[in-house]
Amino acid sequence: ILAFDEWELSLSRGSAFNPKWLMPGESLVSILWKFACANVLSGDALMHLISPCVDPSEGIALVRDDIELSRLCRILRLPEGVLRVSLLDTTLPCRPHPAFRYCRLCAAHGYHSVLYQLEDEDRCPAHHQALDTRCPYCGSETPYIVSARVIAAPFRCLSCRFHCSYGRLSLLSTIPAMRRQDRVSIRRRLLLRMGNTVEDEGSEPQPYCD
């Protein structure tokens, strides 16, 4: 078993992750689930890599003020713009929802949008379904944080481990599961809510953070 510093050294040489696996406005927790699966990382190991001063069992809020963006860029090797959009902006007038909110059809595609955590967003712009916060099986809610337990349970209830979606799709699939019109609908809603912070789809990616 690799020690935490050995994990960081190993990932610095290259990680198994393809930015094409991401969708517009993908939340950081959704990105981390894919990254952990692709690199066979435990929740404790990934928490240590992205926030070494945080207790992995306690976790950290998914807001820009609480996460070191430059470190996140270095570990995930993703453009700063993508990661900035993946985190909640506490300066926005709308309050973030404290519980993990999801569209069950999006969850079946291995996707969660940062939009779903805005309290005044109540429906998925792609599937037009009401957003859920409670487990379909036991009715429990999962807090919207990233912790070792959350990372270890992608799209699953923390209480009973029931899957959030109607079905299962591999998080490692390199084939986009959503239709193009669904991705466009999500992107349009993102642009409406977040404006210029959202990069144009198909544009050249920004450089990685140093």
Side-chain angles (χ1 to χ4, degrees):
I1 299 175
L2 293 178
F4 291 136
D5 55 347
E6 291 174 318
W7 274 120
E8 187 163 8
L9 177 61
S10 175
L11 291 175
S12 70
R13 295 169 178 164
S15 56
F17 196 72
N18 189 338
K20 292 182 179 180
W21 294 343
L22 303 182
M23 300 283 291
E26 190 144 359
S27 69
L28 182 61
V29 69
S30 187
I31 293 172
L32 291 177
W33 280 333
K34 293 177 180 178
F35 187 83
C37 287
N39 292 281
V40 199
L41 284 168
S42 69
D44 283 307
L46 187 50
M47 281 299 300
H48 177 82
L49 289 172
I50 64 174
S51 295
C53 297
V54 173
D55 183 342
S57 63
E58 294 289 333
I60 189 170
L62 291 161
V63 297
R64 294 177 190 173
D65 293 342
D66 291 356
I67 293 182
E68 185 183 345
L69 195 59
S70 60
R71 184 178 185 87
L72 203 58
C73 287
R74 187 170 67 252
I75 297 298
L76 301 181
R77 301 183 65 81
L78 289 174
E80 180 179 352
V82 171
L83 294 174
R84 186 176 296 278
V85 171
S86 76
L87 292 163
L88 290 167
D89 183 357
T90 55
T91 64
L92 292 175
C94 178
R95 292 174 52 193
H97 200 287
F100 176 71
R101 299 174 84 208
Y102 62 94
C103 164
R104 297 184 74 182
L105 290 178
C106 284
H109 297 317
Y111 172 77
H112 175 261
S113 175
V114 69
L115 275 176
Y116 303 161
Q117 295 307 131
L118 302 179
E119 280 198 337
D120 60 354
E121 293 285 330
D122 56 4
R123 289 189 174 273
C124 169
H127 303 113
H128 310 291
Q129 289 204 349
L131 299 175
D132 292 315
T133 60
R134 297 193 176 276
C135 170
Y137 184 75
C138 74
S140 298
E141 290 185 332
T142 294
Y144 188 62
I145 61 171
V146 60
S147 67
R149 288 186 66 214
V150 169
I151 291 170
F155 295 100
R156 292 184 180 277
C157 171
L158 284 188
S159 297
C160 70
R161 295 301 180 100
F162 190 81
H163 203 274
C164 294
S165 73
Y166 293 128
R168 298 179 183 178
L169 292 179
S170 171
L171 292 179
L172 303 184
S173 173
T174 59
I175 301 174
M178 282 194 192
R179 299 173 303 173
R180 177 174 175 77
Q181 57 262 43
D182 294 336
R183 299 198 302 272
V184 169
S185 296
I186 292 172
R187 175 167 171 71
R188 284 176 177 167
R189 188 63 185 168
L190 275 167
L191 285 170
L192 181 64
R193 295 304 305 267
M194 300 183 179
N196 295 331
T197 61
V198 182
E199 293 181 344
D200 290 334
E201 188 173 1
S203 63
E204 289 296 320
Q206 298 178 17
Y208 296 131
C209 301
D210 293 327

